Amino acid sequence: MKILVVDDEPDVRLLFEQRFRREIRSGEFAFSFAYSGEEALTFLREHPSEVVLILSDINMPGMSGLELLRHVKQDPLPPPPPLVMMLTAYGDTETHAQAMQLGANDFLTKPVDFAALKEKLHAIPSL
Amino acid sequence: MADGQLYVSAPTAIGLVYWGRKALDIPTRLPQWDRWLTRLWRPMAVIVVLGLVFGGPVINWLDDVFMAVVLCAGIAIGWELRAYRPALWMAVGLVPGTLLLVLEVLLRPFTRALETGTVDNIEGLVLCWAGAFFLVARSLAKNQKADVAARLAAEQEQRALETQSQTLEYEVNQRTAALSRQTDELRATLAELQATQDQLIQSEKMASLGELTAGIAHEIQNPLNFVNNFADVSVELVAELAEERARPTRDHTLEAELLADLKQNLARIAQHGGRASGIVRGMLEHSRASTGERQPTDVNALADEYLRLAYHGLRAKDKSFNATLQPALAPGLPSIQAVPGDLGRVLLNLFTNAFYAVQKRQQSGESGYAPTVGVRTELAADKLKIVVSDNGTGMPADVQARIFQPFFTTKPSGEGTGLGLSLAHDIIVQGHGGTLTVESREGQGTEFTILLPAH
């Protein structure tokens, strides 16, 4: 299952790679990383129909995670439409409601509980 | 002397005595003598009465003796008052007449046959002499009187002057006292104002710290999350490593990989921990009253840190706000002598203003608008240049002209103290010997330029 992680913090990549080292080694998950909303959109266009899940931060310079979410849900991207999970340090109800209204499939607050995240990822039926 | 003369000479003598008393002011000058002079009419009256009753040469002689005594008294008085010139002259004028009379009086009993003609001639001369001296005495007296009057007038004038100068001195004293009182009042007011200014500066610092709190919380939470995550994952790695070592056939490549990851994680933990404590240190420096102590300062680190703090500070308040940060920090910039807390406060203020301006422009609903705040550093000649730019609302010329004035603010009341830029200007110009300038176009954006000496 291909997962695209979008966050402006470069160390997020290291963290995910180590946290999911067993899953990556076993080939269960494959991670790609983008450091901004724009970069994520470019990646989605260049790798059509690959990404199953997008894990995106909300607060990023330039295009925010919510804008990215809107693009993913509204732009004519090649099917199937990827699932989107929002990750944010500002877990207020306003942002949550906005994300849900834009069609987010899940909403997680930072610091990320990796055990919970793992469970959620395993629950997604692999295509 | 004939009998008829007696009626004339007696009142004349008394008259002269009274005139002399007055002219020479004897009652005040010689009160002892005066007492005798005022009683002089008594013996005179006796002589006159005797002359009327008996007549004869003896009475005439007595009369002359009395006259001689009176004249001698006149001379004595003149001598006594010689310090008063007219009196002396009068006495001198009396001397020949007196001598003549005394001589006559002494000789009369022995010589009845003195040449009356000779005596009359001498008497005439003597009278002239006396008259001349009396005139001199009179004019002297007059002059002296005029002198006295002049002296009195001068004295009066002097006294008037003294009174005036005393009045003036009093007024000057009054005025001086009033002035020194005013000076004291002003000094007290100044001290009060300085205290108020210090308080304002402190409250401005605290206000900007308040704006920062959310940004700081975010900025600290982020590295802390990494510290926790890397620590957790490292525990997993160690467990995995132990597991691997316990296998009969060990995968050395995997072990080396795990060890390399562990090493990397520990470095990350140290890095993010350092980042968090750097933020806390910066926050403390920001709120602490400035010691004004300069130290080598990395302007790039400061600019980057405060750009992020200001951004997250604003975003904590307005969740929908997003902006592109464009740090363009010249690599290898030398550190400069500066007060980091103060310089950080200036940068924070400029960034906060920049974010405020782009937020305002964004809220106006302009389509395709991308809020951007940038900071650029460069070394130009012997100056270090820091440019804070935004593509926000910009400012008209009249606002630009006043932004460094204390208490000038374009923000709604309660949102700005109006001291931020004024303090920033003071810190750069007075505290660091640099310049802070602004360039802005309404509707396009603003650029603040800090120039600092780079040595």
Side-chain angles (χ1 to χ4, degrees), chain B residues 146-428:
Chain B
D147 268 4
V148 167
R151 214 177 306 141
L152 265 178
E155 248 169 54
Q156 238 162 13
E157 205 173 323
Q158 174 90 19
R159 225 168 298 144
L161 276 175
E162 269 168 25
T163 315
Q164 205 172 356
S165 86
Q166 264 176 1
T167 314
L168 272 176
E169 206 171 311
Y170 175 74
E171 272 175 28
V172 166
N173 283 340
Q174 291 281 95
R175 211 71 54 91
T176 312
L179 274 177
S180 67
R181 205 169 41 239
Q182 274 179 341
T183 312
D184 285 348
E185 276 168 24
L186 282 176
R187 204 171 288 147
T189 313
L190 187 65
E192 228 169 89
L193 278 175
Q194 266 161 353
T196 313
Q197 189 188 30
D198 290 348
Q199 277 172 3
L200 277 172
I201 289 173
Q202 195 56 29
S203 66
E204 164 67 27
K205 269 183 212 166
M206 286 304 158
S208 57
L209 188 67
E211 273 176 22
L212 274 185
T213 315
I216 288 167
H218 180 266
E219 283 296 278
I220 293 177
Q221 191 56 51
N222 236 356
L224 281 182
N225 286 347
F226 278 111
V227 168
N228 292 337
N229 276 315
F230 279 118
D232 280 355
V233 97
S234 294
V235 171
E236 285 174 19
L237 291 183
V238 171
E240 200 176 327
L241 190 62
E243 215 176 279
E244 198 60 39
R245 284 180 57 165
R247 282 172 203 246
T249 48
R250 287 164 62 174
D251 184 343
H252 289 286
T253 334
L254 182 65
E255 278 182 19
E257 208 179 286
L258 288 170
L259 279 172
D261 280 354
L262 269 174
K263 195 179 166 192
Q264 191 186 36
N265 288 359
L266 291 176
R268 294 285 149 186
I269 287 169
Q271 189 211 324
H272 287 286
R275 197 170 130 197
S277 49
I279 290 158
V280 172
R281 205 181 314 119
M283 185 177 78
L284 288 179
E285 248 168 50
H286 182 88
S287 60
R288 202 182 300 138
S290 172
T291 55
E293 223 167 90
R294 294 194 189 192
Q295 57 193 76
T297 304
D298 181 351
V299 171
N300 279 350
L302 213 57
D304 192 47
E305 183 188 335
Y306 277 98
L307 178 65
R308 297 167 69 86
L309 283 179
Y311 179 55
H312 292 297
L314 182 58
R315 251 223 324 235
K317 281 195 274 184
D318 179 1
K319 310 271 175 347
S320 66
F321 177 72
N322 240 295
T324 304
L325 307 186
Q326 284 185 336
L329 307 171
L333 215 57
S335 52
I336 60 160
Q337 285 293 322
V339 188
D342 284 354
L343 200 55
R345 202 167 302 131
V346 172
L347 288 169
L348 175 66
N349 188 271
L350 297 182
F351 289 140
T352 308
N353 286 345
F355 283 119
Y356 186 84
V358 294
Q359 187 193 26
K360 281 276 163 265
R361 185 168 169 188
Q362 190 186 38
Q363 283 167 357
S364 71
E366 195 177 321
S367 67
Y369 173 64
T372 306
V373 172
V375 57
R376 195 171 78 242
T377 56
E378 63 183 75
L379 197 62
D382 57 343
K383 302 270 191 219
L384 198 144
K385 193 169 169 185
I386 309 169
V387 182
V388 174
S389 56
D390 66 70
N391 62 347
T393 48
M395 291 175 281
D398 62 313
V399 172
Q400 280 181 59
R402 297 182 60 197
I403 50 167
F404 295 122
Q405 287 174 10
F407 304 111
F408 177 77
T409 179
T410 55
K411 293 179 183 169
S413 71
E415 273 192 44
T417 59
L419 281 176
L421 277 176
S422 153
L423 286 178
H425 191 264
D426 278 0
I427 288 169
I428 295 300

